[in-house]
Amino acid sequence: MSVMPSVARRTLSLVPLAVVALVATGCSSNDKAASAGSSSGGKNGGKNGAVTIKAGDKSCEVATGSLPAGRHTFSVANTASQVTEVYVYAPGDRIMGEVENIGPSTKRDLIIDLPAGEYEVACKPGMVGDGIRSTLKVTGSRATPATVDQRLRTAVASYRAYVESETAALVDTTAAFTAAVTAGDLAKAQAAYPTARLHYERIEPIAESFGDLDPLIDMRADDITEGTPFTGFHALEQMLFQKKALGADASALADGLDVNTAKLAGLVKTVRITPLTMGNGAKSLLDEVAKSKVTGEEERYSRIDLLDFAGNVDGAKYVYSALRPALQERDPALVTALDQRFPALVGLLDTHRAQRGDRGYVPGSPYVSYDALSRDEVKALAVEVDTISEPLGRISSVVTSK
């Protein structure tokens, strides 16, 4: 979940997997023009057509304020003293692309498709707040996209089916959860909460692409501002697991959650998915794990962070599996690396499974409470996430290569 201007938000870490405005894979004449104009020493200051962004503690320096429509690589350098993240927003704060967890003195690339329009680039030192913003104007139109590899077309179709299936499951499991809330059944609602969360975490970047819909569903207590009440999953989580009592507004919160998950289910059917947004999304999901799941920040009342962790990994792994045939053809070494890293990560996570009666068992979750983990166990999970992060981040550049 990302920090939004209208509601102070955290990030998903996954870059949106799909955004309505994104166009199909393939470079256009405008892409080539942008590359020629901003190659090493060019007006955009980066190599190979990259637009440089220097993200400081109090500044967000974008090498150019205008670009032709098409695919662009943004080379982000963190010149700040703290971890940062960079977003590209369309009007209404729709996330066109994001790159998170950029450590001090490190660089990360972000590849996104930008149709003509007005955008904002936001640097967020400390990964909090609305960000330091710069305007970006994109003009012109893309040429007809090049023919897409049939394996990539199949991957997109497969992922779309996955997203729609998971969203439908989210609606159903959320309805079961909210029905228990409305009935005032505390124990039943506590046990139903984890299942709904799992389906949401698998497709979290999709919700992030719809402006304020993600905050309405997934905001945290930290995000409350004047005129922005606590709502969504975590408002009910706080009642159920911290206060252990359903407040007078519990039914209204439950109704709102049902409405917003149903709205999400309708919107995902209109989303345009591309191999690029899939790759960006997979990386974003693992960034989200590193940022708020391994740290235990996400589920601060229920402590089911490992279930959210698993949901993010499931979503990223599905993207990789769908794209694997095309990746195998284009970069066999990358496939070899990810074929090793995903089982290692899932296997480590599986060592923390629990059943009723086990120490740290949480009703409704297949994993132990975050509080049951030792410091060494948390560190081991963080190291494994970090290890898979680099090869996973290469997917976007591979699927957009010729």
Side-chain angles (χ1 to χ4, degrees):
M1 184 166 63
S2 306
V3 177
M4 309 298 291
S6 56
V7 183
R9 306 268 292 131
R10 75 186 190 288
T11 307
L12 185 279
S13 170
L14 271 166
V15 170
L17 298 177
V19 179
V20 176
L22 295 185
V23 295
T25 296
C27 296
S28 69
S29 57
N30 279 329
D31 294 324
K32 295 174 182 176
S35 178
S38 58
S39 58
S40 183
K43 66 178 181 179
N44 294 331
K47 294 182 178 181
N48 300 320
V51 178
T52 61
I53 299 175
K54 294 181 180 180
D57 286 310
K58 297 181 180 180
S59 62
C60 186
E61 300 177 15
V62 184
T64 182
S66 63
L67 290 169
R71 176 164 298 147
H72 295 282
T73 297
F74 294 86
S75 180
V76 182
N78 182 6
T79 61
S81 61
Q82 55 192 318
V83 176
T84 195
E85 59 190 9
V86 172
Y87 287 72
V88 177
Y89 288 118
D93 289 326
R94 288 185 296 109
I95 303 173
M96 301 301 291
E98 62 179 296
V99 59
E100 301 176 293
N101 296 311
I102 313 169
S105 301
T106 59
K107 294 182 179 181
R108 291 272 294 278
D109 285 347
L110 171 63
I111 306 172
I112 50 178
D113 287 326
L114 293 175
E118 301 283 342
Y119 301 92
E120 287 186 318
V121 177
C123 301
K124 300 183 181 181
M127 300 194 296
V128 296
D130 296 346
I132 304 162
R133 299 198 170 205
S134 299
T135 59
L136 179 65
K137 186 174 183 180
V138 176
T139 58
S141 60
R142 287 184 61 114
T144 302
T147 302
V148 180
D149 184 328
Q150 183 57 46
R151 285 166 295 211
L152 294 179
R153 292 184 184 277
T154 300
V156 168
S158 176
Y159 186 67
R160 176 174 294 283
Y162 174 79
V163 168
E164 292 187 5
S165 175
E166 284 298 320
T167 310
L170 170 66
V171 171
D172 291 343
T173 54
T174 299
F177 166 61
T178 55
V181 169
T182 301
D185 191 330
L186 188 70
K188 188 174 182 179
Q190 288 175 330
Y193 176 75
T195 304
R197 291 296 299 162
L198 178 65
H199 293 295
Y200 187 79
E201 293 296 331
R202 286 173 175 165
I203 59 166
E204 188 172 12
I206 295 293
E208 289 185 344
S209 70
F210 297 118
D212 284 346
L213 186 57
D214 177 50
L216 291 172
I217 294 173
D218 204 29
M219 73 178 295
R220 298 180 188 168
D222 305 4
D223 306 330
I224 299 171
T225 61
E226 185 176 352
T228 305
F230 199 11
T231 187
F233 275 118
H234 295 303
L236 290 169
E237 180 205 5
Q238 183 184 54
M239 288 183 182
L240 292 168
F241 296 94
Q242 183 186 61
K243 299 178 180 178
K244 299 188 185 304
L246 293 166
D249 59 343
S251 292
L253 286 171
D255 290 344
L257 188 56
D258 282 336
V259 168
N260 288 317
T261 52
K263 183 177 180 181
L264 176 62
L267 287 172
V268 298
K269 295 177 181 178
T270 70
V271 166
R272 189 168 190 177
I273 298 173
T274 72
L276 173 58
T277 56
M278 289 172 64
N280 283 344
K283 180 59 168 66
S284 181
L285 279 171
L286 267 293
D287 282 345
E288 181 77 0
V289 170
K291 180 179 179 180
S292 62
K293 275 65 173 187
V294 169
T295 60
E297 181 204 351
E298 177 82 12
E299 303 284 356
R300 63 188 67 174
Y301 313 115
S302 62
R303 311 313 285 149
I304 62 164
D305 300 271
L306 290 186
L307 179 135
D308 288 11
F309 184 131
N312 286 164
V313 172
D314 286 348
K317 188 171 183 290
Y318 193 95
V319 169
Y320 168 62
S321 297
L323 292 172
R324 190 182 182 283
L327 294 173
Q328 180 66 54
E329 175 69 22
R330 298 174 180 219
D331 192 339
L334 176 59
V335 169
T336 297
L338 289 173
D339 279 353
Q340 295 173 348
R341 295 269 53 90
F342 267 114
L345 178 58
V346 172
L348 181 59
L349 186 58
D350 283 346
T351 64
H352 302 299
R353 284 185 172 271
Q355 297 179 348
R356 187 177 300 276
D358 292 344
R359 174 180 172 273
Y361 172 74
V362 180
S365 173
Y367 300 97
V368 298
S369 164
Y370 184 84
D371 292 336
L373 299 177
S374 67
R375 289 185 179 181
D376 286 344
E377 288 171 331
V378 171
K379 181 179 179 180
L381 287 167
V383 168
E384 202 59 55
V385 169
D386 185 62
T387 301
I388 197 173
S389 182
E390 188 280 328
L392 197 67
R394 288 161 48 198
I395 289 179
S396 293
S397 61
V398 173
V399 297
T400 57
S401 64
K402 290 296 185 181

